[in-house]
Amino acid sequence: MGFLPKLASILLLLVTFQNGVKGDTPANCTHDDLVGKWKFYLSSGGHSKDIDCSNPGVMSQVISLTLSSYNAVTKDDDGEVGSFNLIYNQGFEVTLGYRKLFAFFKYDQINSTYADYWCNQTMQGWSHDVLGNDWACFKAVKQDASEGYHHEVVKTPFEIGLLQLPYSVPVDFIELINLAQDSWTATVYPEYEKYTYDHILRRSGFLNGPLTRPKKNLATPYSEKSYANLPKSFDWRNVNGVNYLSPIRNQGHCGSCYAFASMGMLEARMRILTNNTQTPVFSPQDVVACSRYSQGCDGGFPYLIAGKYAQDFGVVEEQCYPYLGKNQDKCEPTLPNCQRTHVAKYEYVGGYYGGCSEEKMMQELVNNGPLAVAIEVYPDFQQYKSGIYHHVESIKAHWLKQSSSEGYNPFELTNHAVLAVGYGEEVNKNSDQVEKYWIVKNSWGEQWGEQGFVRIRRGTDEIAIESLAQQSWPIPRL
């Protein structure tokens, strides 16, 4: 493709995720847990990005930082000011001076049933300068009286066993969905019958507890003037007859939706930047197998992949590391020494976790390109075929009763990462009401939904798409 090895400035804007895309870690920490005084214990610097922070050696430096609301960081001894971002409920990243520091909250996966985590401590994390050089390790501890300890029941052995049952959706469940509303149509997908509940859940994210959403008052005021200047509808599949999206793909039953959404965003924004003269398809398998910022087929977050991983390590094209749809013990690309494309800048839509809105999402999408977003997947979403989707709450009790012979419902509120590529509105023929929607690219193959896409109700934070998922990222300027 002839890519430059480093993009001068890919601006990625990320939408705030409210729930966890399956797995990552058992931690479920909040913005309020993070605010306060922390001590950061750092190892010596001067290392490469291959540094092993599981064995960091002596922590030779201690710095005290105060993290306050609206993402401000202050160094206690000299008043130097920086910023921080909560990475969903999993960890946080601090930028201070010319350095970035990222770590997950501390956790201990005791077994398949139990896990412990602490919101006042971190695992060993990584520190480097803003150019991605001079790497070191660190851990951080909050300086207050709170214990920060949580004991999490992940799944009981009984529930884990039930996850291996064949996935089955009663026909009357589909009928109930279609009778309960007239905005969208559900259908049975026979190919699901070859999957277990575990397979279905892994491709949409599960096992993480519900995430506390950012407080609504974190969002900053938005200019009505800029909103009024936006087009009533917009679709990156057809901008003056030109399609800027890469093809629909299928993640299978690997929990790699975060990798597909991230790569899809980078692919689209590269096409937009170069007016389709460069049309890469980037490798989700490289992320699944090689990223230290995610947990392979057990989940991850676009902020850490399309943003941090793409900046720190870069992404490769599909032919370098073809998709396998499974975890690997080692990072072993099919082709060695592949050229990597890097992101120069990444941030949340609205500037920080919790600062997003429908209008900001629309403006970022139109001005810079598709957005990696997260949604809460419910059982009815799995069966979507066409129309403007909204969750049908009235069928919940039926699903709880009928989802298996034991009356077990393995579905929880979860996060599934997808790609918002446009928006629009149409009149419902039955009610004459105008319905607004987002156009969303999924990673479940072309046979699902509207040729791999779904339209989701817009303006009401349907399945958490507006307050949870928005992200905006570096747009490449070559």
Side-chain angles (χ1 to χ4, degrees), residues 156 172 243 253 399 416 418 440 457 466:
T156 68
D172 60 341
N243 178 17
H253 53 74
W399 175 256
H416 176 52
V418 290
V440 172
R457 181 179 286 174
E466 283 142 18

Side-chain angles (χ1 to χ4, degrees), residues 86-115:
L86 179 67
I87 312 299
Y88 317 110
N89 60 352
Q90 298 285 288
F92 60 96
E93 184 176 46
V94 168
T95 301
L96 184 70
Y98 294 99
R99 294 199 73 79
K100 289 188 173 185
L101 304 96
F102 163 73
F104 291 107
F105 289 109
K106 183 179 177 180
Y107 67 93
D108 181 14
Q109 187 76 51
I110 299 171
N111 52 41
S112 59
T113 299
Y114 299 105

Side-chain angles (χ1 to χ4, degrees), residues 389-433:
Y389 173 84
H390 64 89
H391 174 47
V392 185
E393 181 67 23
S394 63
I395 50 83
K396 181 178 180 180
H398 180 84
W399 175 256
L400 289 170
K401 181 179 179 181
Q402 300 293 331
S403 55
S404 78
S405 59
E406 291 83 1
Y408 167 62
N409 172 32
F411 282 90
E412 300 170 349
L413 297 186
T414 61
N415 247 359
H416 176 52
V418 290
L419 190 69
V421 304
Y423 62 85
E425 59 183 53
E426 70 177 31
V427 177
N428 185 304
K429 296 179 181 179
N430 296 306
S431 66
D432 291 329
Q433 298 294 314

Side-chain angles (χ1 to χ4, degrees), residues 22-66:
K22 186 257 170 192
D24 254 347
T25 79
N28 185 18
C29 303
T30 69
H31 179 269
D32 290 342
D33 291 323
L34 192 52
V35 169
K37 293 183 178 296
W38 290 73
K39 282 191 182 297
F40 285 68
Y41 301 86
L42 291 86
S43 68
S44 59
H47 299 276
S48 73
K49 63 180 62 177
D50 296 325
I51 186 172
D52 180 7
C53 285
S54 65
N55 185 24
V58 177
M59 296 299 185
S60 58
Q61 181 185 7
V62 181
I63 59 173
S64 296
L65 302 179
T66 298

